Every structure is written in structure tokens, then in C-alpha cells.
Amino acid sequence: MEEFKKVFEKNKAWAANTTAADPDFFSRLAHQQTPEHLWIGCSDSRVPANQIMDLPPGEVFVHRNIANIVVPSDLNCLSVLQYAIEVLKVRHVIVCGHYGCGGIAAAMSSQKNGMIDNWLRHIRTTARIYHDLIETAETQEQKTDLMCELNVIEQVQNVCATTIVQDAWDKGQKFAVHGIIYSVKNGLLKDLIHCEAGSKVTRGEDFPAVLK
């Protein structure tokens, strides 16, 4: 408990410093939540949405899970997606993966991991689909990194296929779905894929070469 008290000490210091820098910050934040971005990312503690995009609190609506997966059976993720689109009217839905993802690595190994293997089955299905492409990579690290990219692209397609997104686009709502990936090694994002209404798909400048 003594160690946990540091959480409150650091919180008080952060609140004081924030107020000193911007006296109206918290009063302004308390009366608005109008983010333009929904971030669907990995639970990895090294991949914080706001910091990566250099955006303050209130600017990003966030959902995170192991390996940034979007599936029709995940009511938690779908509820976040629905609220972001129908209530918050976000302009950008972002699926962000990251290189060196432990969930991806676990899914690509033959080792048993307990209950989480049920969740990782979604990744293993994608890995089977792209098996021949993945095997073109020379090292295991390269194979894992390629799978991280392929997983992002697959999850973007899953987002676009939801009734939430399709119904919103049919009604003329303007927003795009983006697939990006983050490197923990250098802090930079890579641009993989973008989707808009009417099944308009645009490859990002960092779209995997093996798929071109």
C-alpha cells in the first residue's frame, strides 16, 4: 500500500502542474468531450494513444485490447465503436498496431498460453490466410513484424464490415477508418491503409510490399 500511495502523490503533482500551466484546463475538460479520433489499439503499456499523437486529454476516444483485435462477438469493442460514431461523431477511426506485439508473437508460436489462446485464434486465422507471404520473410522478427502489419489491415476490414460503420456510411456520415502501426524502437507511426464510404480503399505509403 505504501508503494501505491505514490499514484496519488504523482496525481496531485500532475494536477497542480497542469493547473499552473493552464488554469482553465480542468473546468474546460469537464464540460466537453468532442474527440475527432477513436483509437483502437493494443493494451501494451508502451503504446499510449494521446502521447503518440501528441494530443491532450479529451481529444482521443480509446479502446484497447490484446493485439488490437476487432471481432463481431466483442460487445465491448462494438459498444465503443457505436458510441464514437453515433454519439461523438468522430471523424477518424484508427486501428493502431505495433511492432514487437506480444499477442502477435504468442499467436505465431506453438506454445500454449491458457485462456488467451481463445482470443489469439483470430490472429492465427489471419496467419493461416497469409502463411505463404509471411514465410517469405527471412527472420522470425521480420515474420512477426509483417504479421503485425497484416493484422492491422485485417482489423481495419473488420471495422469497416460492422453494421455500425456500414449503417453510418449509408446515412451519409463522413468519417474514415485508418490502419497504422507504431514502432516502439523509434516512436514513429507508419501509414498502412485507409477506408471511406463506398468501399473506397486507399493504400498508405507504408503498405506492405508483399501485398502490392
Side-chain angles (χ1 to χ4, degrees):
M1 288 300 296
E2 287 299 319
E3 184 177 346
F4 188 71
K5 288 181 180 179
K6 293 179 181 178
V7 171
F8 298 99
E9 294 171 0
K10 291 185 176 182
N11 167 253
K12 289 180 181 178
W14 170 76
N17 292 335
T18 301
T19 302
D22 183 355
D24 297 325
F25 178 83
F26 290 109
S27 60
R28 186 171 63 249
L29 193 64
H31 292 93
Q32 68 176 22
Q33 182 183 213
T34 56
E36 292 193 353
H37 307 84
L38 165 62
W39 175 283
I40 301 174
C42 183
S43 299
D44 193 301
S45 62
R46 301 168 297 173
V47 192
N50 287 70
Q51 287 92 327
I52 288 173
M53 296 192 292
D54 194 23
L55 291 174
E59 295 295 327
V60 189
F61 198 55
V62 178
H63 176 79
R64 298 171 71 174
N65 61 42
I66 300 296
N68 43 272
I69 295 173
V70 179
V71 289
S73 59
D74 185 358
L75 298 182
N76 186 351
C77 181
L78 294 183
S79 297
V80 171
L81 181 63
Q82 181 181 24
Y83 188 82
I85 290 175
E86 296 182 5
V87 179
L88 297 177
K89 307 292 184 184
V90 297
R91 302 283 294 178
H92 305 279
V93 177
I94 301 167
V95 176
C96 183
H98 67 98
Y99 295 116
C101 177
I104 299 292
M108 295 181 71
S109 74
S110 58
Q111 179 180 342
K112 291 185 178 180
N113 303 284
M115 186 190 69
I116 195 174
D117 283 328
N118 297 286
W119 181 253
L120 298 179
R121 282 181 59 191
H122 303 296
I123 299 173
R124 291 184 174 127
T125 298
T126 302
R128 285 196 298 270
I129 294 172
Y130 293 104
H131 176 267
D132 291 345
L133 290 177
I134 294 171
E135 287 303 310
T136 62
E138 296 181 359
T139 68
Q140 187 57 45
E141 181 179 9
Q142 290 172 337
K143 292 177 181 179
T144 301
D145 285 348
L146 175 57
M147 185 60 218
C148 290
E149 295 175 344
L150 294 172
N151 181 56
V152 169
I153 294 170
E154 186 73 12
Q155 304 316 317
V156 166
Q157 294 173 339
N158 288 345
V159 170
C160 294
T162 62
T163 56
I164 299 165
V165 169
Q166 290 296 317
D167 289 347
W169 277 342
D170 287 345
K171 294 175 183 177
Q173 189 169 336
K174 303 295 184 183
F175 63 92
V177 181
H178 313 275
I180 61 178
I181 192 163
Y182 175 72
S183 174
V184 178
K185 293 181 179 180
N186 61 22
L188 297 178
L189 292 167
K190 285 189 175 182
D191 181 15
L192 299 180
I193 193 169
H194 309 272
C195 299
E196 297 178 82
S199 300
K200 181 181 178 182
V201 179
T202 305
R203 294 178 176 179
E205 61 181 29
D206 301 306
F207 190 82
V210 294
L211 293 178
K212 294 180 179 178

